[in-house]
Amino acid sequence: MSRVAHPAGPRHADVLPAEHPPMPPADLNALDAGIWPRGAQRAGGALTLAGADVRDLAREFGTPMFVLDEEDFRSRCRDFRQAFGEGTAVFYAAKAFCSRGVLRWVAEEGLGVDACTGGEFEVALQAGVDPAMITLHGSNKFTGELERAIGAGVGHIVVDSFEEIARLAYLTGDMGAPGPARRAADGSGGQRPKILVRVTSGVEAHTHEFVATAHDDQKFGFSLSSGVADEAARRVLASPGLELAGLHSHIGSQIYDTAGFEVAAHRVLELAVRIAAEHGVQLAELNLGGGFGIAYVPGDDPADIKIIAQNLHEILRAQCAAAGLAVPRLTVEPGRAIAGPGTVTLYEVGTVKDVDGLRTYVSVDGGMSDNIRTALYGAEYTCVLASRESAAPPMLSRLVGRHCESGDIVVRDAYMPADLAVGDLVAVAATGAYCRSMASNYNHVPRPPVVAVRDGSATVMLRRETVADLLALDEG
């Protein structure tokens, strides 16, 4: 059984809380460069992000608040583009964090966008992303979402069920319908939608571990082991209004090496061989999904993306050579690895409660409504006193939120300085992925803003919600 959190993936039932707290760090004021944003440092004792002092940010925008280092985000986009090189497509997984401003950065850095819903698709369009650079995912896409995507000229649609293939065939006029979705946005005739068949390869990978099985028990994709994936390809190829462009596979999350990808690629390319033999079709694209890991706590050691990219290219070339296939275009879909490290959540301490002989509970002005991952997955985080430095000894603490829920924990085991006091600012690192995007209004708490920082200046990306916003939805 693993104590490591495996978020935003199929495996989390075996995640257990830590049996024992970690040892205190040597320096409570230090910022681990592998965990904190690239623009993070201390100046005058306080944490600064891209030149912006968190004390000034808190005064101007309030807390809690997500602070996003723009250059950190952009630089990680460039890292992926440069690591994978020409001929490889990199699509940012918008589910990690989605806003018009962020998707505009993504497009400006040369990446496409992976959208999981019609909502994410519309944000991408509003951000000015070329529809041809958008891939539409989703295990239960509505007919209206598919029609909108096709009409807008979406680049790829990843099919996940036989019902979806039938809907697409209907919308493109293959089953007797007039096929309005085939028209381009300007009313002219559109091209056939490019389809990727999502397959479940029986490989599940997290951190440095992967498990290869013969069966799949999850809601996503078509099983390779049962032959259902072969039938999905047949149905797409039998639909004149659809173009089978390739195959898609996603094997997990927080992946630190490429061992699992090698097994998955081998199995997926076996399907490509069968498709070529049965239909005479050479697939143009292999999308290996995302799941590239980041560091949340000391000891996390994700591989350099350059090494990951080199290994994936080598795996693809070797597997294609062994299978006698032309090498398809490789596509990857990083989300967390781009959005995660560059964002910090800033909180203000409200209460400090010592539980004798156990730990000190530090309650902040946010909690599970802005970061559900600790409660949901047992995720681990790193936090520091951000508004000042301290020479006080370490105090075993649990950073908790303001919600009426015993599981409202932000950081389960943290060492804070023993002189921590009400009004201090605490920063939690690596909260850019799956925090604001999974935020809620539990207890009718408005969601925090997202503020981007660059060269000492701050810009609101998403404004803070207000109680008035929540009451505006109440029709009672």
Side-chain angles (χ1 to χ4, degrees):
M1 302 286 277
S2 171
R3 295 191 292 107
V4 178
H6 303 304
R11 183 177 116 186
H12 57 265
D14 62 346
V15 175
L16 300 177
E19 292 86 356
H20 303 286
M23 294 297 292
D27 182 358
L28 293 178
N29 301 303
L31 303 173
D32 187 327
I35 297 173
W36 293 87
R38 290 169 174 171
Q41 59 182 351
R42 287 193 183 271
L47 174 66
T48 65
L49 300 166
D53 189 313
V54 296
R55 297 170 298 185
D56 296 334
L57 294 173
R59 280 191 288 267
E60 182 174 359
F61 302 105
T63 57
M65 164 178 43
F66 294 103
V67 185
L68 166 57
D69 183 334
E70 177 182 347
E71 180 54 29
D72 184 291
F73 188 102
R74 286 181 177 272
S75 69
R76 295 179 196 275
C77 291
R78 294 193 294 271
D79 287 348
F80 269 88
R81 286 288 299 153
Q82 293 165 6
F84 281 92
E86 296 297 326
T88 300
V90 180
F91 280 63
Y92 169 68
K95 64 181 180 177
F97 174 65
C98 182
S99 76
R100 284 182 297 191
V102 158
L103 297 192
R104 195 173 298 119
W105 296 347
V106 166
E108 289 170 356
E109 297 297 340
L111 275 61
V113 173
D114 154 14
C116 287
T117 64
E120 290 179 356
F121 183 76
E122 292 298 335
V123 175
L125 293 181
Q126 287 284 317
V129 178
D130 181 355
M133 292 294 289
I134 302 175
T135 296
L136 183 63
H137 279 268
S139 59
N140 182 21
K141 305 178 192 68
F142 303 153
T143 300
E145 291 176 327
L146 293 171
E147 187 167 8
R148 167 67 168 144
I150 297 170
V154 67
H156 292 83
I157 298 174
V158 181
V159 295
D160 210 273
S161 67
F162 290 134
E163 289 85 354
E164 183 180 352
I165 295 172
R167 288 172 193 151
L168 286 165
Y170 178 85
L171 289 171
T172 53
D174 297 339
M175 298 178 67
R182 295 186 66 181
R183 293 195 298 271
D186 62 0
S188 63
Q191 294 184 335
R192 293 188 301 164
K194 294 182 178 179
I195 305 300
L196 301 178
V197 172
R198 177 163 180 170
V199 301
T200 50
S201 63
V203 176
E204 190 172 336
H206 303 281
T207 61
H208 292 295
E209 303 172 356
F210 75 93
V211 177
T213 65
H215 302 286
D216 304 286
D217 185 8
Q218 60 170 295
K219 72 174 185 175
F220 295 107
F222 297 94
S223 170
L224 282 172
S225 61
S226 68
V228 173
D230 296 70
E231 178 60 22
R234 291 187 194 102
R235 295 191 187 189
V236 173
L237 287 167
S239 301
L242 305 178
E243 177 185 344
L244 180 60
L247 302 173
H248 182 284
S249 171
H250 180 80
I251 61 174
S253 59
Q254 272 296 84
I255 302 169
Y256 284 0
D257 58 36
T258 55
F261 284 111
E262 183 168 8
V263 178
H266 175 73
R267 292 182 176 182
V268 173
L269 288 172
E270 286 181 334
L271 172 59
V273 170
R274 294 195 297 273
I275 291 172
E278 181 177 345
H279 306 284
V281 174
Q282 287 268 354
L283 299 181
E285 183 168 340
L286 176 62
N287 189 322
L288 290 178
F292 308 102
I294 66 172
Y296 285 101
V297 295
D300 287 350
D301 59 341
D304 187 292
I305 192 57
K306 294 178 182 177
I307 297 173
I308 293 280
Q310 179 181 340
N311 289 350
L312 287 183
H313 279 300
E314 290 175 353
I315 288 166
L316 185 58
R317 287 192 294 267
Q319 295 292 340
C320 286
L325 293 173
V327 178
R329 182 182 80 162
L330 174 64
T331 300
V332 292
E333 297 171 332
R336 179 200 322 270
I338 290 175
T343 294
V344 166
T345 308
L346 195 63
Y347 300 104
E348 183 176 314
V349 175
T351 66
V352 181
K353 183 185 295 185
D354 180 55
V355 179
D356 189 41
L358 293 174
R359 61 175 56 82
T360 298
Y361 281 79
V362 178
S363 183
V364 296
D365 51 357
M368 65 191 304
S369 61
D370 59 71
N371 188 346
I372 191 62
R373 294 182 64 254
T374 305
L376 187 61
Y377 300 118
E380 297 176 294
Y381 284 97
T382 298
C383 61
V384 297
L385 172 59
S387 47
R388 59 184 174 89
E389 287 184 319
S390 172
M395 171 180 68
L396 179 61
S397 307
R398 179 160 291 171
L399 198 68
V400 297
R402 59 179 299 204
H403 297 284
C404 190
E405 178 68 46
S406 59
D408 180 21
I409 299 170
V410 180
V411 184
R412 182 174 298 277
D413 292 306
Y415 283 94
M416 304 300 293
D419 63 351
L420 187 74
V422 172
D424 279 332
L425 299 177
V426 173
V428 179
T431 56
Y434 306 109
C435 289
R436 180 57 175 79
S437 66
M438 296 176 73
S440 73
N441 295 122
Y442 181 48
N443 291 151
H444 247 58
V445 172
R447 289 178 292 183
V450 178
V451 177
V453 289
R454 184 183 183 94
D455 298 329
S457 298
T459 304
V460 175
M461 304 288 282
L462 293 177
R463 71 165 174 84
R464 184 183 302 280
E465 288 181 339
T466 66
V467 173
D469 290 327
L470 304 186
L471 291 175
L473 302 173
D474 193 333
E475 299 286 350

